[in-house]
Amino acid sequence: MPSVRSFMVLPKLPQELKDLEFLANNMYWSWNPEVKEIFKHVDSSAWEKCGHNPIKLLGSVSQHTLDKLSRNQSFIRELGRAVDITKTYLKSHTWFDTLDVKSAKPLIAYFSAEFGIHECLPIYSGGLGILAGDHLKSASDLGLPLVGIGLMYQKGYFRQYLNLDGWQQEIYAENDFYKMPAKTVKDENGNDIMIDIPFPQRIVKARIWQVNVGRIKLYLLDTNLPSNSNNDRVITQNLYGGGLETRICQEIVLGIGGLKALTAMGIEPTVCHMNEGHAAFMALERIRELIKNKHMTFDEALETTKASNTFTVHTPVKAGNDEFPREMIQKYFAPYLNGLEINFRQLLDMGRINTADNEEPFKMPVLAIKTSAYKNGVSKLHGEVSRKMWSGLWPRVPINEVPIGSVTNGVHIMTWLSDEINDLYNRYIGPNWSENTCQPEDFENIDQIPDEELWRTHQRSKEQMIGFIRNRLTQQLLKRGSYHSELNWAQEVLDPEALTIGFARRFATYKRGNLLLKDPQRLIKILTDSERPVQIIFAGKAHPKDAEGKDLIRQIVRFASQYNVKRKIVFIEDYDIDLARYMVRGVDIWLNNPRPPMEASGTSGMKAAFNGALNMSTFDGWWCEGYQPQGGWVIGSGESYDDTGYQDKVESQAIYNLLENEAVPLFYTRATDGLPRAWIHRMKNSMKFITPRFNTNRMVSEYTEKFYAPAAKKWRYLTAESMARAKALAMWTANMKSNWDKITIKDVKVEPCRENSDEGSCDADLEVGSKLDVSAVVNLGQTNPDDVSVELYYGSVDSWGNILDGSSIEMGCIKPAENNGHYLFGCQLTCDKSGRQGMAVRVLPKNEDIDNPHELGLISWENPSQG
C-alpha cells in the first residue's frame, strides 16, 4: 500500500453564511424546528439525500447555490434568527440555576455504550441509545453540568435489509466522521489529544471526538488510528459486534479509556453515572486514580468513589447483561491489578454474586452494583424486578429493602413531538410550555384544543407518515431489482383513512413481534373489514446472531404474502430515528406486547402518546404507571404463566377482543361532522396525562434531586481535609466487617405494654391498636452501640411464616446488660393492622456517612432458638 497523506477540505462558505457552520456543529438544531428549518431552506432535496446531516449538506451543496443564498436577504434574516435562537438558548437561565447546590455543584460524567441523538450520528442501536441521547438533550435543556462519554463507532450498528424470503440481512456501512457534526478534541498546540489505555502486553491509543448537544459536550473515543495494530483499530468498529473478546475490549475503552479521556482534558467529575453495565470498568479506573494521586488504599478509594457513582440497570434479560469468564478477566486485568493494589481473587469477587463459587463468571452489572451507592431500575415495576433479580447480593435482606430504587424513563418531548402538535401546544398551553420540568396542571389546557383542529393535525401526520413509508418501500424494492408492478404496489400501500397500528422495536423473542399472527383468520377478518378496515406497520431489527428474532420478522413478511394483505401489513426495513419519528407521529394505536415482566420500561409508546396515539400494551414496564382506562388499553392483567405458548394464545386473543369490541368501533363511530369525538377524547386524556409525566426533563430532574446532587455533596464531603473522612469511613467499614460475626441477639421478650396489660399474654389474640413492649439483649462484642441500629422488623406474614413488605422500628439502647459487650434494647410496637402479623429483631450497621445500611451487606437476625 502507498503511504497516503490525508488532509481536510472544508466547504467554502461566503462570509454571509459563516453562521451555518456554527449551527451545524451544535446538535441543538435536531430538536429546535426553527433552527432545523434553515438547513431545509439551503437545499431541501440535498437535505433529504444527505440523511439530514448538516455537515454533509454544506459539503455537498454547489458553490453556485451557496453564493446565491448569500445574496438572498430573506434567507440571511432567517439565518440570523436561527443564530439568535441558538445563542439565547445556550446562555439563558435554566432550571438547574434555581437549585440550591452551589456548595456541592456536581460535574456529572454520563457513560453509555451508545447515544441516539439523531440519525446523522449513527452510533446507536435502539432504546438504550435513544434514552441516552434524550438524557443529554434534557440535561442541556435543564442546564446540568454534565458530559457524556461513549465510543465513536467506525461502522456503528448494522443497516438492515430483507431478502426475498423475508430473512434479515446485515450491511455495515463506514461512518465518515469528518462529515458528521463532530470534531476531534485538540490540545493547546492544535494537536489531537490522545490517551493511552493499558491492554495485555501493549498500549492502545484512542483519540477523542466532541459532539455539541446544546449545552452538553459528548466525548466519543476512537481507536481507529494508524499507531494501533489492525486488531486494536477495529475495537471501536461495530456497536455490539464481534464476540466476547471484542466486547471486553470495547468496555475497557469505554470505562477505563473514558475516564482517562476526561482526565486528559482536565475534567474531574464529582459524579459518574453508568448507563447499563457496559461502563462498569470506569469504577475501577476511578479507584486506581485515587490510589495513585491521593495515596489511598483500595478500600479507602472504593468507599470514596462508590459514594458518588450511579448505576442504571436496564434489562432483566440475561443476554443483555454482559459477563466474562475468569480466564478473560485474568488476561486483560492481571497487569492492571498492580495499580489497584488488590489480588486477582479480590477483583473476581467484585463481579460475582456468590464469591465462594470459583466458576461463576465475572458480571458487569454486579461490578457496577458493588461500586455504586445509587442504583435504579427504569420503571417502578422494573425496580421490583431488579430487587428480586439481584437480591443474591444481599442474601439476608428482605426483597423490598434491597437497595435498588427506580427512576421511570421518559423521552425528550421536542425531539419526538411533531411540529404541528408543538404549534397546538404553543397556542393552547403557552409559548414556553416545553421549558424546564413540565407540570401536569399545565397540560389541562389540552382539553381546550378544538376536536377538529387536533384531528386534522393528527391526520396530516398520518398522511406524512404514509408518504414517507411508500417512498422508503419503493427504495427497498428498487435495491432488490423488483418489477414495475411491485413498485406500483409500494405507492399504494396503506390507507390514510384506516385505523393504523404501529409496532416498532427490537425483534427479541420476549417482545413477541408475531403475537398478532396467532389466529390468522381472525386477524384477516379484522384487517379486511370493508366498512372498518385496519392496517399494521411493523419495523425493527433483530440482533445479527438472534436467529429466533430474525424468524419473527420473516413470519410477518410471509404472512402478508400468504394471506394477500400486503397493502394492510407492511414491514419497513432499517428502523432508525427518522422512521421512528414518522411512525410515532402518524399511527393511531401503538402496540406493545412483551411477555411480562420482561420489559424494563419501554419508551416508544410514550413518544406515540405525546402525538395523540393511544397505547395498547401488556401490563409491563412504564405502562403500569401510564395506563388510564380512558387513555388506552391493557392486554391481559399482567399474569405470569409457566406455559408461554398458552400465554401467547390467551394474550393474542385479548388483543383481538380489544380491537373488535373497543378500539375499532370507537375509531369508526363518527359524529354528524365526521369526527370520532369519543376517540379524540381519549387522545386528549392520554396526551395530558402522559406528556408531563413521562418526559426526560422530569426524568433528569429526578436523577438530579435523588442521585446527582446528594452524590456530589457526599463526594465533596469525603474528599475534604485530605481525604480524612473517606479514610475514616473505610477504617470503620473494615472494623465492622471484621467484627460483625460476633454480634448475636438473645433474650428477646415480647409483652403487652402496661396500658393494655389486661389483655394477657402476647400469645393471645390482640385487637388493632394494642401495644407491645419488645426488648432484646444484643451481644455487640467489640462493636460500639452507636455503630449499629437494632431494629424490630414487623409486618403481615404469609403461610410460610415470612414477613411480607415489612416495616421497621429502631430499638433504643436502654442500658448495658450484666455481661461485658451485652446491651439491652427496647421499643414499643402498635398493632395497627389486623390479620396474622410477625416480628423479628435484627441488627444493621449505622454510620451517618453511609446512605443505606444495607450497602455493606451486613445484617444479623434474631435466632429463634436464642429468643
Side-chain angles (χ1 to χ4, degrees):
M1 291 290 292
S3 177
V4 177
R5 299 178 183 273
S6 63
F7 52 91
M8 279 295 297
V9 179
L10 301 174
K12 184 181 179 182
L13 292 176
Q15 188 61 39
E16 296 83 355
L17 304 183
K18 288 293 185 183
D19 281 337
L20 281 172
E21 187 174 2
F22 162 71
L23 295 178
N25 280 293
N26 191 314
M27 297 193 72
Y28 175 62
W29 59 262
S30 69
W31 72 92
N32 185 290
E34 290 185 79
V35 179
K36 181 164 54 179
E37 200 68 21
I38 283 295
F39 299 112
K40 293 182 184 177
H41 289 175
V42 170
D43 187 325
S44 59
S45 177
W47 176 247
E48 293 299 324
K49 289 180 180 177
C50 74
H52 310 144
N53 181 340
I55 301 296
K56 194 173 182 179
L57 171 76
L58 297 179
S60 62
V61 174
S62 70
Q63 197 64 46
H64 172 75
T65 298
L66 293 174
D67 291 340
K68 186 177 178 181
L69 279 173
S70 71
R71 298 188 296 272
N72 185 328
Q73 293 305 308
S74 175
F75 180 83
I76 297 300
R77 283 194 297 272
E78 288 181 31
L79 176 58
R81 174 167 170 73
V83 170
D84 289 343
I85 289 171
T86 302
K87 289 183 175 179
T88 299
Y89 171 85
L90 295 176
K91 296 177 181 178
S92 61
H93 193 72
T94 67
W95 171 82
F96 188 82
D97 294 326
T98 67
L99 300 183
D100 185 21
V101 293
K102 294 180 180 177
S103 61
K105 185 175 181 179
L107 176 55
I108 306 141
Y110 182 86
F111 290 76
S112 182
E114 50 175 307
F115 286 90
I117 298 168
H118 187 266
E119 61 267 24
C120 74
L121 191 66
I123 55 171
Y124 63 93
S125 70
L128 180 72
I130 302 301
L131 177 78
D134 284 4
H135 194 111
L136 296 193
K137 292 171 186 175
S138 279
S140 173
D141 291 342
L142 299 178
L144 263 67
L146 180 146
V147 296
I149 302 96
L151 301 180
M152 191 63 143
Y153 299 100
Q154 191 67 59
K155 294 187 177 181
Y157 205 48
F158 68 90
R159 306 297 300 270
Q160 177 199 52
Y161 75 96
L162 306 183
N163 66 17
L164 294 175
D165 189 39
W167 190 258
Q168 174 182 291
Q169 306 290 307
E170 296 88 29
I171 301 174
Y172 291 90
E174 289 268 353
N175 287 326
D176 187 344
F177 301 155
Y178 295 97
K179 292 183 179 178
M180 292 180 175
K183 292 185 176 180
T184 56
V185 179
K186 299 184 182 297
D187 60 22
E188 56 192 17
N189 298 317
N191 300 315
D192 287 349
I193 293 178
M194 298 288 182
I195 60 167
D196 294 340
I197 307 170
F199 273 72
Q201 289 84 49
R202 68 194 191 279
I203 294 295
V204 174
K205 290 189 174 294
R207 66 183 154 197
I208 311 162
W209 294 84
Q210 177 181 310
V211 178
N212 298 316
V213 186
R215 299 179 177 95
I216 302 300
K217 307 297 184 190
L218 169 60
Y219 298 109
L220 302 168
L221 273 62
D222 166 25
T223 65
N224 186 14
L225 301 169
S227 55
N228 289 330
S229 69
N230 288 340
N231 286 338
D232 292 337
R233 293 186 70 164
V234 298
I235 290 175
T236 56
Q237 179 169 274
N238 297 118
L239 172 60
Y240 304 143
L244 276 182
E245 198 91 22
T246 299
R247 182 65 61 87
I248 197 171
C249 290
Q250 288 185 340
E251 295 183 357
I252 288 170
V253 172
L254 173 62
I256 296 176
L259 201 67
K260 283 180 173 291
L262 294 178
T263 301
M265 293 183 289
I267 299 171
E268 183 181 355
T270 57
V271 178
C272 289
H273 186 166
M274 293 170 274
N275 187 42
E276 192 51 278
H278 308 119
F281 291 138
M282 175 279 300
L284 298 180
E285 178 63 13
R286 206 173 181 205
I287 290 169
R288 190 198 65 81
E289 284 192 352
L290 282 185
I291 292 172
K292 176 184 177 183
N293 299 326
K294 302 296 182 180
H295 310 293
M296 303 179 83
T297 66
F298 177 86
D299 289 340
E300 291 168 349
L302 171 61
E303 292 298 334
T304 307
T305 57
K306 180 178 181 178
S308 59
N309 283 344
T310 292
F311 170 53
T312 297
V313 58
H314 279 273
T315 176
V317 181
K318 179 177 172 60
N321 292 290
D322 291 340
E323 56 182 47
F324 303 107
R326 59 171 291 154
E327 296 77 17
M328 191 171 287
I329 296 296
Q330 186 165 22
K331 173 182 175 180
Y332 283 93
F333 283 90
Y336 190 79
L337 292 174
N338 293 330
L340 292 177
E341 299 181 356
I342 58 174
N343 60 43
F344 182 59
R345 182 55 188 258
Q346 288 174 296
L347 175 62
L348 286 177
D349 287 350
M350 295 286 289
R352 286 174 168 171
I353 297 174
N354 181 6
T355 56
D357 181 3
N358 200 38
E359 300 304 315
E360 181 180 338
F362 185 94
K363 297 176 173 62
M364 295 297 282
V366 173
L367 174 62
I369 288 171
K370 288 186 176 183
T371 55
S372 299
Y374 303 93
K375 301 168 281 287
N376 70 284
V378 289
S379 68
K380 288 181 180 178
L381 176 61
H382 183 234
E384 295 174 12
V385 171
S386 297
R387 285 189 286 277
K388 292 177 183 176
M389 181 175 179
W390 300 111
S391 61
L393 291 166
W394 298 272
R396 305 189 70 194
V397 174
I399 295 292
N400 65 305
E401 293 189 350
V402 167
I404 299 176
S406 67
V407 175
T408 301
N409 279 347
V411 297
H412 188 252
I413 297 178
M414 293 306 297
T415 293
W416 301 104
L417 197 68
S418 73
D419 294 347
E420 294 82 0
I421 295 289
N422 182 35
D423 289 341
L424 288 182
Y425 283 5
N426 284 332
R427 280 188 280 132
Y428 291 97
I429 298 177
N432 301 318
W433 69 269
S434 64
E435 295 181 2
N436 298 328
T437 55
C438 301
Q439 300 303 317
E441 56 268 21
D442 297 338
F443 286 78
E444 292 300 317
N445 279 349
I446 285 177
D447 286 332
Q448 304 304 314
I449 301 174
D451 288 354
E452 304 91 338
E453 203 166 353
L454 180 58
W455 188 247
R456 282 199 307 269
T457 300
H458 175 67
Q459 283 300 103
R460 281 197 296 273
S461 293
K462 185 191 282 191
E463 290 163 3
Q464 291 167 3
M465 174 191 69
I466 290 175
F468 176 86
I469 285 174
R470 287 173 175 174
N471 289 337
R472 185 171 273 204
L473 276 173
T474 300
Q475 294 303 314
Q476 289 175 194
L477 293 172
L478 284 171
K479 288 178 182 178
R480 293 183 201 163
S482 300
Y483 298 109
H484 286 292
S485 59
E486 286 184 293
L487 297 179
N488 291 336
W489 157 78
Q491 289 300 315
E492 296 172 358
V493 300
L494 305 176
D495 176 2
E497 301 299 323
L499 173 61
T500 305
I501 300 171
F503 182 99
R505 54 192 27 85
R506 183 165 52 89
F507 268 75
T509 51
Y510 77 89
K511 292 179 181 283
R512 299 188 295 182
N514 64 342
L515 194 61
L516 263 178
L517 314 182
K518 294 297 181 182
D519 188 338
Q521 296 308 320
R522 196 169 179 189
L523 177 59
I524 295 302
K525 185 178 179 182
I526 293 171
L527 296 174
T528 58
D529 187 321
S530 60
E531 298 296 321
R532 304 187 305 184
V534 176
Q535 56 198 12
I536 311 169
I537 304 167
F538 288 96
K541 298 177 179 179
H543 189 278
K545 296 182 180 178
D546 184 1
E548 290 182 282
K550 292 182 179 183
D551 189 58
L552 295 179
I553 296 172
R554 180 166 60 179
Q555 288 178 38
I556 293 167
V557 175
R558 286 182 169 182
F559 185 97
S561 297
Q562 180 181 350
Y563 293 97
N564 196 28
V565 286
K566 291 175 66 176
R567 285 184 171 84
K568 300 283 189 178
I569 294 181
V570 295
F571 186 94
I572 312 301
E573 297 173 5
D574 205 29
Y575 187 45
D576 63 359
I577 290 177
D578 195 21
L579 174 57
R581 274 197 303 267
Y582 279 99
M583 286 188 66
V584 299
R585 295 171 179 178
V587 300
D588 300 303
I589 291 176
W590 194 262
L591 180 65
N592 185 34
N593 45 233
R595 185 174 290 117
M598 304 299 287
E599 186 84 290
S601 177
T603 54
S604 55
M606 302 172 189
K607 300 162 192 166
F610 289 2
N611 290 284
L614 300 182
N615 276 269
M616 182 180 291
S617 175
T618 49
F619 209 54
D620 200 8
W622 79 280
W623 193 232
C624 298
E625 301 163 60
Y627 168 67
Q628 286 184 302
Q630 293 303 310
W633 296 276
V634 168
I635 302 164
S637 303
E639 306 96 338
S640 295
Y641 295 80
D642 292 330
D643 185 342
T644 56
Y646 176 69
Q647 180 179 7
D648 292 351
K649 180 179 178 180
V650 169
E651 292 178 347
S652 64
Q653 294 298 317
I655 297 175
Y656 301 140
N657 290 337
L658 286 173
L659 290 174
E660 293 169 343
N661 301 323
E662 293 198 37
V664 174
L666 190 71
F667 183 85
Y668 284 105
T669 298
R670 305 297 170 106
T672 54
D673 57 6
L675 293 176
R677 292 192 178 272
W679 183 277
I680 295 170
H681 179 68
R682 283 207 178 202
M683 290 172 63
K684 291 180 178 179
N685 284 339
S686 174
M687 294 165 78
K688 69 184 182 183
F689 182 78
I690 291 174
T691 308
R693 291 173 174 85
F694 295 94
N695 62 80
T696 42
N697 279 21
R698 185 276 310 157
M699 182 192 81
V700 171
S701 67
E702 194 173 339
Y703 272 114
T704 302
E705 292 166 346
K706 290 174 67 173
F707 299 157
Y708 297 160
K713 184 177 180 181
K714 183 58 67 69
W715 169 266
R716 299 207 186 277
Y717 171 80
L718 291 176
T719 56
E721 301 174 6
S722 302
M723 306 286 180
R725 291 167 180 148
K727 293 178 180 180
L729 177 59
M731 182 178 294
W732 176 87
T733 300
N735 288 335
M736 294 300 288
K737 289 181 176 180
S738 63
N739 292 314
W740 194 261
D741 60 358
K742 300 179 180 66
I743 294 176
T744 56
I745 303 167
K746 57 185 180 178
D747 296 337
V748 177
K749 294 181 181 179
V750 182
E751 301 173 328
C753 72
R754 293 175 182 176
E755 64 187 70
N756 62 312
S757 59
D758 58 330
E759 295 186 11
S761 167
C762 65
D763 294 329
D765 292 339
L766 301 170
E767 293 181 349
V768 171
S770 298
K771 299 180 186 297
L772 298 173
D773 286 326
V774 184
S775 63
V777 174
V778 181
N779 179 7
L780 295 179
Q782 302 300 312
T783 303
N784 191 302
D786 293 334
D787 291 331
V788 298
S789 174
V790 179
E791 297 179 347
L792 181 67
Y793 184 73
Y794 67 96
S796 301
V797 297
D798 62 16
S799 60
W800 294 88
N802 298 313
I803 297 175
L804 304 174
D805 297 327
S807 301
S808 61
I809 303 173
E810 185 164 4
M811 302 174 71
C813 184
I814 299 172
K815 62 179 181 179
E818 296 179 0
N819 299 325
N820 186 35
H822 290 64
Y823 297 84
L824 179 66
F825 291 82
C827 70
Q828 189 175 88
L829 172 67
T830 300
C831 302
D832 56 1
K833 291 182 181 178
S834 61
R836 191 180 183 208
Q837 304 291 305
M839 66 177 77
V841 177
R842 66 184 186 182
V843 184
L844 295 169
K846 182 171 71 173
N847 188 304
E848 62 181 6
D849 290 345
I850 58 172
D851 293 314
N852 190 305
H854 295 305
E855 282 298 333
L856 274 62
L858 303 177
I859 184 169
S860 292
W861 289 93
E862 163 193 355
N863 186 335
S865 64
Q866 298 174 337

